[in-house]
């Protein structure tokens, strides 16, 4: 693959991950969870309901999963509504 095509392919992958993070943020907002986009939309900072450090969410390599808690927690990116529900419970309980 030539360098220009490789760079374009990397951009397309990054843009897809950014859209996934934005979709998750939108679903969390519907649930009343404070979530802020960070680092050029490459990460999502989800505030806890009680004092404590926020939860950082990223799209894992390959774009198949949302990942948080040092990748010990994951949920498929094709289900942002389900991921938002799980994250809402996760930040509420700790």
């Amino acid at each position: 693959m030539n360098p220009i095509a490789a760079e374009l392919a990397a951009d397309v992958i990054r843009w897809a991950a950014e859209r996934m993070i934005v979709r998750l943020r939108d679903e969390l907002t519907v649930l009343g969870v404070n979530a802020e986009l960070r680092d050029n939309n490459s990460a999502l900072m989800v505030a806890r309901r009680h004092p404590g450090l926020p939860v950082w969410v990223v799209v894992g390599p390959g774009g198949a999963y949302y990942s948080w808690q040092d990748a010990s927690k994951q949920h498929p990116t094709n289900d942002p509504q389900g991921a938002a529900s799980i994250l809402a419970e996760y930040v509420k309980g700790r």
Side-chain angles (χ1 to χ4, degrees), residues 7-21:
E7 186 175 328
L8 180 58
D11 285 344
V12 168
I13 291 168
R14 188 182 76 249
W15 296 331
E18 289 174 7
R19 284 192 304 275
M20 291 173 200
I21 285 288

Side-chain angles (χ1 to χ4, degrees), residues 22-51:
V22 169
R23 286 180 58 205
L24 179 58
R25 189 270 323 260
D26 293 347
E27 293 294 339
L28 286 164
T29 300
V30 167
L31 296 175
V33 175
N34 182 18
E36 298 177 22
L37 295 166
R38 297 289 196 202
D39 301 329
N40 299 325
N41 297 345
S42 65
L44 188 64
M45 185 180 75
V46 183
R48 294 186 185 273
R49 299 216 171 135
H50 302 287

Side-chain angles (χ1 to χ4, degrees), residues 21 24 42-46 55-59 66-68 87:
I21 285 288
L24 179 58
S42 65
L44 188 64
M45 185 180 75
V46 183
V55 175
W56 286 90
V57 182
V58 297
V59 172
Y66 294 111
S67 180
W68 64 96
L87 273 163

